[in-house]
């Protein structure tokens, strides 16, 4: 049975992309990464894709006159790669309703907090951990959710809690949340949705 075809969208360092690449054939059995797209041509994530021999494209958001033009180019890449599932792994461009509505329950995002805490517009990367420390929470974590038109507002798929420790800085907390939650949850969630895609395909084949 052929694996679900996964496209991973990135903007930065790509440690979550690396976790997905490393999980292939292990925690991620039912899906295969066939494309990486970055909205930042300098993202280190692009080098991780190249090192793993996965086709990688840079589509700099600022190179397009509008969000519509950017999303049209992105859709063309996804269609050419025949992507079944899109995984946002530290991807910082907010996608429009027009885009997300075309992929119901087929776009996953990883967010570095326990949604609904510290999420929505402006909460990304280190800012999320700065906000958690400023509020004084004792537990934070990560969430994988389906993506809809509301930033961080789609249905929750998986969550994992991580302790905040005395003396934490945003950087220390970010690293702990990545190690203890993000790098485990994202491959697990990609596997869950990939399994659904593979099963759906088998059912469709049987009735076509
Ligand atoms: C990760 O912590 C991810 O959860 C976060 O950006 C980081 C990207 O790191 N995403 C968001 O904040 C989205 N709202 P990475 O490039 O090393 O995977």
């Amino acid at each position: 049975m052929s694996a679900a075809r996964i496209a991973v969208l990135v903007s930065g360092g790509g440690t979550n992309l690396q976790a997905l690449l490393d999980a292939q054939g292990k925690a991620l059995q039912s899906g295969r990464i066939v494309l990486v797209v970055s909205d930042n041509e300098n993202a280190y994530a692009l080098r991780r894709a190249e090192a793993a021999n996965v086709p990688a494209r840079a589509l700099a958001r600022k190179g397009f006159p509008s969000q519509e033009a950017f999303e049209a180019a992105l859709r063309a890449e996804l269609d050419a790669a025949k992507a079944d599932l899109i995984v946002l792994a530290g991807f910082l461009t907010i996608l429009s309703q027009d885009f997300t509505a075309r992929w119901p329950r087929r776009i996953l995002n990883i967010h570095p907090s326990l949604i609904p805490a510290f999420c929505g517009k402006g909460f990304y990367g280190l800012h999320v951990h700065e906000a958690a420390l400023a509020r004084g929470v004792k537990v934070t974590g990560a969430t994988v959710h389906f993506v809809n038109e509301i930033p961080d507002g789609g249905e929750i798929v998986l969550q994992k809690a991580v302790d905040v420790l005395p003396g934490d800085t945003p950087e220390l907390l970010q690293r702990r949340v990545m190690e203890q939650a993000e790098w485990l949850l994202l491959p697990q969630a990609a596997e869950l949705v990939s399994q659904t895609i593979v099963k759906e395909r088998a059912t469709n084949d049987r009735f076509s």
Side-chain angles (χ1 to χ4, degrees):
M1 204 171 290
S2 64
R5 299 173 65 82
I6 302 175
V8 185
L9 310 191
V10 295
S11 300
T15 64
N16 278 287
L17 166 65
Q18 192 67 55
L20 288 164
L21 290 166
D22 294 346
Q24 293 187 108
K26 298 173 197 146
L28 179 53
Q29 294 268 348
S30 308
R32 186 163 60 88
I33 300 165
V34 295
L35 176 68
V36 171
V37 180
S38 174
D39 61 1
N40 162 14
E41 58 230 320
N42 299 316
Y44 185 70
L46 286 169
R47 292 211 236 144
R48 296 181 188 270
E50 281 156 22
N53 287 317
V54 174
R57 312 259 183 278
L59 291 181
R61 169 65 186 86
K62 57 183 184 307
F64 293 88
S66 63
Q67 179 78 8
E68 290 74 25
F70 170 76
E71 289 184 355
L74 181 56
R75 282 209 314 272
E77 293 288 353
L78 296 166
D79 289 346
K82 297 187 168 49
D84 298 306
L85 169 62
I86 302 168
V87 178
L88 310 186
F91 183 66
L92 298 183
T93 298
I94 293 177
L95 295 166
S96 72
Q97 178 164 21
D98 178 61
F99 187 97
T100 58
R102 292 169 195 257
W103 297 83
R105 297 171 72 90
R106 292 294 176 268
I107 312 176
L108 286 171
N109 180 48
I110 179 94
H111 183 76
S113 74
L114 294 174
I115 289 175
F118 312 118
C119 67
K121 214 160 180 252
F123 285 98
Y124 62 90
L126 267 188
H127 299 303
V128 180
H129 305 291
E130 284 163 4
L133 289 176
R135 187 63 185 83
V137 295
K138 303 302 176 209
V139 175
T140 184
T143 303
V144 179
H145 62 93
F146 287 122
V147 174
N148 63 10
E149 69 283 3
I150 303 159
D152 299 324
E155 184 189 338
I156 290 170
V157 179
L158 293 174
Q159 287 190 304
K160 189 165 188 288
V162 174
D163 286 340
V164 178
L165 298 181
D168 264 350
T169 61
E171 290 79 7
L172 281 172
L173 185 56
Q174 179 182 53
R175 183 76 191 182
R176 188 177 316 112
V177 168
M178 284 175 158
E179 284 177 357
Q180 295 186 8
E182 295 187 43
W183 299 339
L184 307 172
L185 284 191
L186 195 55
Q188 264 176 40
E191 172 64 16
L192 284 173
V193 183
S194 295
Q195 284 177 6
T196 304
I197 290 166
V198 169
K199 272 187 214 143
E200 264 182 22
R201 200 188 285 150
T203 309
N204 292 342
D205 287 351
R206 217 171 301 139
F207 291 105
S208 65

Short mmCIF file of all heavy atoms in Angstrom, two decimals, residues 68-115:
data_model
loop_
_atom_site.label_atom_id
_atom_site.label_comp_id
_atom_site.label_asym_id
_atom_site.label_seq_id
_atom_site.Cartn_x
_atom_site.Cartn_y
_atom_site.Cartn_z
N GLU A 68 -2.48 36.20 -2.29
CA GLU A 68 -3.12 35.32 -3.28
C GLU A 68 -2.06 34.74 -4.22
O GLU A 68 -2.07 33.55 -4.53
CB GLU A 68 -4.16 36.08 -4.12
CG GLU A 68 -5.41 36.48 -3.38
CD GLU A 68 -5.19 37.65 -2.42
OE1 GLU A 68 -4.25 38.46 -2.62
OE2 GLU A 68 -5.94 37.74 -1.44
N ALA A 69 -1.15 35.60 -4.68
CA ALA A 69 -0.12 35.15 -5.62
C ALA A 69 0.81 34.15 -4.94
O ALA A 69 1.20 33.12 -5.53
CB ALA A 69 0.67 36.34 -6.15
N PHE A 70 1.17 34.43 -3.67
CA PHE A 70 2.02 33.50 -2.92
C PHE A 70 1.32 32.15 -2.78
O PHE A 70 1.92 31.09 -3.04
CB PHE A 70 2.33 34.09 -1.54
CG PHE A 70 3.00 33.13 -0.60
CD1 PHE A 70 4.34 32.81 -0.75
CD2 PHE A 70 2.28 32.53 0.43
CE1 PHE A 70 4.96 31.91 0.12
CE2 PHE A 70 2.89 31.63 1.29
CZ PHE A 70 4.23 31.32 1.13
N GLU A 71 0.06 32.18 -2.39
CA GLU A 71 -0.67 30.92 -2.16
C GLU A 71 -0.90 30.16 -3.47
O GLU A 71 -0.90 28.93 -3.48
CB GLU A 71 -1.99 31.19 -1.44
CG GLU A 71 -1.75 31.60 0.01
CD GLU A 71 -3.02 31.79 0.81
OE1 GLU A 71 -4.14 31.68 0.24
OE2 GLU A 71 -2.90 32.05 2.02
N ALA A 72 -1.06 30.87 -4.57
CA ALA A 72 -1.21 30.20 -5.86
C ALA A 72 0.07 29.45 -6.21
O ALA A 72 0.02 28.30 -6.68
CB ALA A 72 -1.57 31.21 -6.95
N ALA A 73 1.21 30.08 -5.96
CA ALA A 73 2.50 29.42 -6.24
C ALA A 73 2.69 28.21 -5.32
O ALA A 73 3.17 27.16 -5.75
CB ALA A 73 3.64 30.42 -6.07
N LEU A 74 2.29 28.38 -4.07
CA LEU A 74 2.40 27.27 -3.11
C LEU A 74 1.50 26.11 -3.53
O LEU A 74 1.92 24.94 -3.53
CB LEU A 74 2.00 27.80 -1.72
CG LEU A 74 2.05 26.83 -0.54
CD1 LEU A 74 3.44 26.20 -0.40
CD2 LEU A 74 1.68 27.57 0.75
N ARG A 75 0.29 26.43 -3.94
CA ARG A 75 -0.64 25.37 -4.38
C ARG A 75 -0.08 24.63 -5.59
O ARG A 75 -0.21 23.41 -5.70
CB ARG A 75 -2.01 25.96 -4.72
CG ARG A 75 -2.86 26.28 -3.51
CD ARG A 75 -4.35 26.17 -3.83
NE ARG A 75 -4.70 26.82 -5.08
CZ ARG A 75 -5.04 28.11 -5.19
NH1 ARG A 75 -5.05 28.89 -4.13
NH2 ARG A 75 -5.34 28.62 -6.36
N ALA A 76 0.57 25.37 -6.49
CA ALA A 76 1.15 24.73 -7.68
C ALA A 76 2.23 23.73 -7.27
O ALA A 76 2.31 22.62 -7.82
CB ALA A 76 1.72 25.80 -8.62
N GLU A 77 3.04 24.09 -6.28
CA GLU A 77 4.09 23.17 -5.79
C GLU A 77 3.45 21.93 -5.15
O GLU A 77 3.89 20.80 -5.37
CB GLU A 77 5.00 23.85 -4.76
CG GLU A 77 5.86 24.96 -5.32
CD GLU A 77 7.00 24.44 -6.20
OE1 GLU A 77 7.20 23.21 -6.29
OE2 GLU A 77 7.67 25.28 -6.82
N LEU A 78 2.43 22.16 -4.35
CA LEU A 78 1.76 21.04 -3.65
C LEU A 78 1.08 20.11 -4.64
O LEU A 78 1.14 18.88 -4.50
CB LEU A 78 0.75 21.58 -2.63
CG LEU A 78 1.36 22.40 -1.49
CD1 LEU A 78 0.29 23.17 -0.74
CD2 LEU A 78 2.14 21.49 -0.53
N ASP A 79 0.45 20.69 -5.66
CA ASP A 79 -0.23 19.88 -6.67
C ASP A 79 0.80 19.07 -7.47
O ASP A 79 0.60 17.89 -7.74
CB ASP A 79 -1.05 20.76 -7.62
CG ASP A 79 -2.28 21.35 -6.93
OD1 ASP A 79 -2.62 20.87 -5.82
OD2 ASP A 79 -2.88 22.28 -7.48
N ALA A 80 1.90 19.74 -7.85
CA ALA A 80 2.92 19.04 -8.65
C ALA A 80 3.50 17.87 -7.85
O ALA A 80 3.84 16.84 -8.43
CB ALA A 80 4.03 20.03 -9.04
N ALA A 81 3.61 18.03 -6.53
CA ALA A 81 4.15 16.95 -5.69
C ALA A 81 3.08 15.94 -5.31
O ALA A 81 3.37 14.97 -4.60
CB ALA A 81 4.77 17.55 -4.43
N LYS A 82 1.83 16.18 -5.74
CA LYS A 82 0.70 15.31 -5.38
C LYS A 82 0.61 15.10 -3.87
O LYS A 82 0.43 13.97 -3.38
CB LYS A 82 0.80 13.95 -6.09
CG LYS A 82 0.73 14.02 -7.61
CD LYS A 82 0.66 12.60 -8.16
CE LYS A 82 0.30 12.52 -9.62
NZ LYS A 82 1.05 13.40 -10.52
N ALA A 83 0.73 16.21 -3.14
CA ALA A 83 0.71 16.11 -1.67
C ALA A 83 -0.68 15.74 -1.19
O ALA A 83 -1.69 16.27 -1.66
CB ALA A 83 1.14 17.44 -1.06
N ASP A 84 -0.72 14.80 -0.23
CA ASP A 84 -1.97 14.41 0.43
C ASP A 84 -2.15 15.16 1.74
O ASP A 84 -3.27 15.35 2.20
CB ASP A 84 -1.95 12.91 0.80
CG ASP A 84 -1.82 12.01 -0.39
OD1 ASP A 84 -2.63 12.14 -1.31
OD2 ASP A 84 -0.90 11.16 -0.39
N LEU A 85 -1.04 15.47 2.38
CA LEU A 85 -1.05 16.05 3.72
C LEU A 85 0.00 17.16 3.78
O LEU A 85 1.11 16.99 3.27
CB LEU A 85 -0.70 14.94 4.75
CG LEU A 85 -0.40 15.36 6.18
CD1 LEU A 85 -1.61 16.03 6.83
CD2 LEU A 85 0.03 14.14 7.00
N ILE A 86 -0.38 18.29 4.39
CA ILE A 86 0.54 19.41 4.56
C ILE A 86 0.83 19.54 6.04
O ILE A 86 -0.09 19.58 6.86
CB ILE A 86 -0.10 20.72 4.05
CG1 ILE A 86 -0.52 20.59 2.59
CG2 ILE A 86 0.84 21.89 4.24
CD1 ILE A 86 -1.42 21.73 2.11
N VAL A 87 2.12 19.59 6.39
CA VAL A 87 2.49 19.76 7.80
C VAL A 87 3.21 21.09 7.94
O VAL A 87 4.24 21.33 7.29
CB VAL A 87 3.40 18.61 8.28
CG1 VAL A 87 3.81 18.85 9.73
CG2 VAL A 87 2.67 17.27 8.16
N LEU A 88 2.66 21.97 8.78
CA LEU A 88 3.31 23.25 9.07
C LEU A 88 4.25 23.01 10.26
O LEU A 88 3.80 22.74 11.37
CB LEU A 88 2.27 24.32 9.41
CG LEU A 88 1.10 24.49 8.44
CD1 LEU A 88 0.25 25.69 8.84
CD2 LEU A 88 1.56 24.62 7.00
N ALA A 89 5.55 23.09 9.99
CA ALA A 89 6.55 22.80 11.02
C ALA A 89 7.36 24.08 11.24
O ALA A 89 8.42 24.27 10.65
CB ALA A 89 7.44 21.64 10.56
N GLY A 90 6.79 24.98 12.06
CA GLY A 90 7.44 26.26 12.27
C GLY A 90 7.28 27.18 11.07
O GLY A 90 8.17 27.98 10.77
N PHE A 91 6.13 27.07 10.39
CA PHE A 91 5.85 27.90 9.20
C PHE A 91 5.12 29.15 9.67
O PHE A 91 4.07 29.04 10.33
CB PHE A 91 4.99 27.10 8.24
CG PHE A 91 4.69 27.78 6.93
CD1 PHE A 91 5.69 28.06 6.02
CD2 PHE A 91 3.38 28.13 6.60
CE1 PHE A 91 5.41 28.66 4.81
CE2 PHE A 91 3.09 28.74 5.39
CZ PHE A 91 4.11 29.00 4.49
N LEU A 92 5.67 30.32 9.35
CA LEU A 92 5.18 31.54 9.99
C LEU A 92 4.23 32.38 9.15
O LEU A 92 3.67 33.35 9.64
CB LEU A 92 6.37 32.39 10.46
CG LEU A 92 7.25 31.70 11.51
CD1 LEU A 92 8.37 32.61 11.99
CD2 LEU A 92 6.42 31.22 12.71
N THR A 93 4.01 32.00 7.89
CA THR A 93 3.01 32.73 7.10
C THR A 93 1.62 32.23 7.48
O THR A 93 1.39 31.02 7.51
CB THR A 93 3.24 32.50 5.59
OG1 THR A 93 4.52 33.01 5.23
CG2 THR A 93 2.18 33.20 4.75
N ILE A 94 0.71 33.16 7.77
CA ILE A 94 -0.67 32.75 8.07
C ILE A 94 -1.38 32.51 6.75
O ILE A 94 -1.35 33.34 5.84
CB ILE A 94 -1.38 33.82 8.93
CG1 ILE A 94 -0.71 33.86 10.31
CG2 ILE A 94 -2.88 33.50 9.06
CD1 ILE A 94 -1.25 34.92 11.24
N LEU A 95 -2.01 31.34 6.63
CA LEU A 95 -2.67 30.96 5.37
C LEU A 95 -4.12 31.43 5.38
O LEU A 95 -4.79 31.40 6.42
CB LEU A 95 -2.59 29.44 5.18
CG LEU A 95 -1.16 28.92 5.02
CD1 LEU A 95 -1.10 27.41 5.19
CD2 LEU A 95 -0.59 29.32 3.65
N SER A 96 -4.61 31.84 4.21
CA SER A 96 -5.96 32.40 4.11
C SER A 96 -7.03 31.30 4.21
O SER A 96 -6.75 30.11 4.02
CB SER A 96 -6.12 33.11 2.77
OG SER A 96 -6.19 32.14 1.75
N GLN A 97 -8.26 31.75 4.41
CA GLN A 97 -9.38 30.81 4.42
C GLN A 97 -9.51 30.12 3.07
O GLN A 97 -9.84 28.94 2.99
CB GLN A 97 -10.66 31.55 4.75
CG GLN A 97 -11.88 30.64 4.72
CD GLN A 97 -13.08 31.24 5.39
OE1 GLN A 97 -13.16 32.47 5.55
NE2 GLN A 97 -14.01 30.41 5.80
N ASP A 98 -9.25 30.87 2.00
CA ASP A 98 -9.33 30.28 0.66
C ASP A 98 -8.39 29.08 0.56
O ASP A 98 -8.74 28.04 -0.02
CB ASP A 98 -8.96 31.34 -0.40
CG ASP A 98 -8.98 30.76 -1.79
OD1 ASP A 98 -10.06 30.30 -2.21
OD2 ASP A 98 -7.91 30.72 -2.45
N PHE A 99 -7.20 29.21 1.15
CA PHE A 99 -6.23 28.11 1.08
C PHE A 99 -6.65 26.97 2.02
O PHE A 99 -6.74 25.81 1.60
CB PHE A 99 -4.83 28.62 1.48
CG PHE A 99 -3.75 27.61 1.30
CD1 PHE A 99 -2.96 27.60 0.16
CD2 PHE A 99 -3.52 26.63 2.27
CE1 PHE A 99 -1.96 26.64 -0.01
CE2 PHE A 99 -2.53 25.67 2.10
CZ PHE A 99 -1.76 25.68 0.96
N THR A 100 -6.92 27.30 3.28
CA THR A 100 -7.15 26.23 4.26
C THR A 100 -8.44 25.44 3.95
O THR A 100 -8.50 24.24 4.20
CB THR A 100 -7.21 26.78 5.71
OG1 THR A 100 -8.24 27.75 5.80
CG2 THR A 100 -5.89 27.41 6.11
N ALA A 101 -9.43 26.12 3.36
CA ALA A 101 -10.71 25.43 3.08
C ALA A 101 -10.54 24.36 2.01
O ALA A 101 -11.37 23.45 1.91
CB ALA A 101 -11.75 26.45 2.63
N ARG A 102 -9.47 24.43 1.23
CA ARG A 102 -9.23 23.40 0.20
C ARG A 102 -8.66 22.12 0.79
O ARG A 102 -8.57 21.11 0.10
CB ARG A 102 -8.23 23.93 -0.85
CG ARG A 102 -8.79 25.05 -1.68
CD ARG A 102 -7.66 25.69 -2.49
NE ARG A 102 -8.09 26.96 -3.02
CZ ARG A 102 -8.45 27.18 -4.27
NH1 ARG A 102 -8.42 26.19 -5.15
NH2 ARG A 102 -8.83 28.36 -4.67
N TRP A 103 -8.20 22.19 2.07
CA TRP A 103 -7.51 21.05 2.67
C TRP A 103 -8.11 20.73 4.04
O TRP A 103 -7.38 20.71 5.04
CB TRP A 103 -6.02 21.38 2.84
CG TRP A 103 -5.29 21.63 1.58
CD1 TRP A 103 -5.23 22.79 0.87
CD2 TRP A 103 -4.47 20.70 0.86
NE1 TRP A 103 -4.42 22.65 -0.24
CE2 TRP A 103 -3.95 21.36 -0.26
CE3 TRP A 103 -4.13 19.35 1.08
CZ2 TRP A 103 -3.12 20.74 -1.18
CZ3 TRP A 103 -3.30 18.74 0.17
CH2 TRP A 103 -2.81 19.43 -0.94
N PRO A 104 -9.43 20.47 4.13
CA PRO A 104 -10.01 20.21 5.45
C PRO A 104 -9.41 18.96 6.10
O PRO A 104 -9.34 17.91 5.47
CB PRO A 104 -11.51 20.04 5.16
CG PRO A 104 -11.60 19.74 3.70
CD PRO A 104 -10.41 20.37 3.04
N ARG A 105 -8.96 19.10 7.36
CA ARG A 105 -8.33 18.01 8.12
C ARG A 105 -7.12 17.40 7.42
O ARG A 105 -6.77 16.25 7.64
CB ARG A 105 -9.36 16.92 8.45
CG ARG A 105 -10.49 17.42 9.33
CD ARG A 105 -11.58 16.38 9.45
NE ARG A 105 -11.15 15.27 10.26
CZ ARG A 105 -11.31 15.18 11.58
NH1 ARG A 105 -11.88 16.15 12.22
NH2 ARG A 105 -10.90 14.13 12.23
N ARG A 106 -6.53 18.18 6.53
CA ARG A 106 -5.33 17.70 5.83
C ARG A 106 -4.16 18.68 5.99
O ARG A 106 -3.14 18.54 5.31
CB ARG A 106 -5.61 17.48 4.33
CG ARG A 106 -6.57 16.32 4.07
CD ARG A 106 -5.95 14.99 4.47
NE ARG A 106 -6.89 13.88 4.32
CZ ARG A 106 -7.69 13.43 5.29
NH1 ARG A 106 -7.69 13.98 6.50
NH2 ARG A 106 -8.49 12.41 5.07
N ILE A 107 -4.31 19.66 6.88
CA ILE A 107 -3.17 20.54 7.22
C ILE A 107 -2.99 20.45 8.73
O ILE A 107 -3.92 20.70 9.50
CB ILE A 107 -3.40 22.02 6.84
CG1 ILE A 107 -3.91 22.17 5.41
CG2 ILE A 107 -2.11 22.81 7.05
CD1 ILE A 107 -4.23 23.62 5.02
N LEU A 108 -1.78 20.07 9.15
CA LEU A 108 -1.44 20.01 10.57
C LEU A 108 -0.49 21.14 10.91
O LEU A 108 0.37 21.50 10.10
CB LEU A 108 -0.73 18.68 10.88
CG LEU A 108 -1.57 17.41 10.92
CD1 LEU A 108 -0.65 16.19 11.02
CD2 LEU A 108 -2.56 17.44 12.07
N ASN A 109 -0.60 21.66 12.13
CA ASN A 109 0.36 22.66 12.62
C ASN A 109 0.82 22.25 14.01
O ASN A 109 0.05 21.70 14.79
CB ASN A 109 -0.32 24.03 12.70
CG ASN A 109 0.63 25.11 13.20
OD1 ASN A 109 1.77 25.22 12.72
ND2 ASN A 109 0.19 25.90 14.17
N ILE A 110 2.09 22.54 14.29
CA ILE A 110 2.60 22.36 15.66
C ILE A 110 2.72 23.73 16.30
O ILE A 110 3.26 24.66 15.69
CB ILE A 110 3.96 21.60 15.67
CG1 ILE A 110 4.51 21.43 17.09
CG2 ILE A 110 5.01 22.27 14.80
CD1 ILE A 110 4.16 20.15 17.74
N HIS A 111 2.19 23.84 17.52
CA HIS A 111 2.27 25.11 18.25
C HIS A 111 2.89 24.84 19.63
O HIS A 111 2.49 23.90 20.31
CB HIS A 111 0.87 25.74 18.40
CG HIS A 111 0.93 27.06 19.08
ND1 HIS A 111 1.37 28.20 18.44
CD2 HIS A 111 0.69 27.41 20.36
CE1 HIS A 111 1.36 29.20 19.30
NE2 HIS A 111 0.95 28.76 20.47
N PRO A 112 3.84 25.71 20.06
CA PRO A 112 4.59 25.39 21.29
C PRO A 112 3.91 25.87 22.58
O PRO A 112 4.56 26.52 23.41
CB PRO A 112 5.93 26.08 21.05
CG PRO A 112 5.59 27.27 20.23
CD PRO A 112 4.43 26.86 19.35
N SER A 113 2.63 25.57 22.75
CA SER A 113 1.96 25.80 24.04
C SER A 113 0.76 24.86 24.09
O SER A 113 0.43 24.20 23.08
CB SER A 113 1.46 27.24 24.18
OG SER A 113 0.32 27.46 23.37
N LEU A 114 0.11 24.83 25.25
CA LEU A 114 -1.13 24.05 25.37
C LEU A 114 -2.28 24.96 24.96
O LEU A 114 -2.78 25.75 25.76
CB LEU A 114 -1.30 23.55 26.82
CG LEU A 114 -0.25 22.52 27.28
CD1 LEU A 114 -0.44 22.22 28.77
CD2 LEU A 114 -0.34 21.23 26.46
N ILE A 115 -2.68 24.87 23.70
CA ILE A 115 -3.80 25.68 23.20
C ILE A 115 -5.03 25.37 24.06
O ILE A 115 -5.26 24.20 24.37
CB ILE A 115 -4.05 25.33 21.70
CG1 ILE A 115 -2.89 25.90 20.83
CG2 ILE A 115 -5.38 25.86 21.20
CD1 ILE A 115 -2.96 25.53 19.36
#
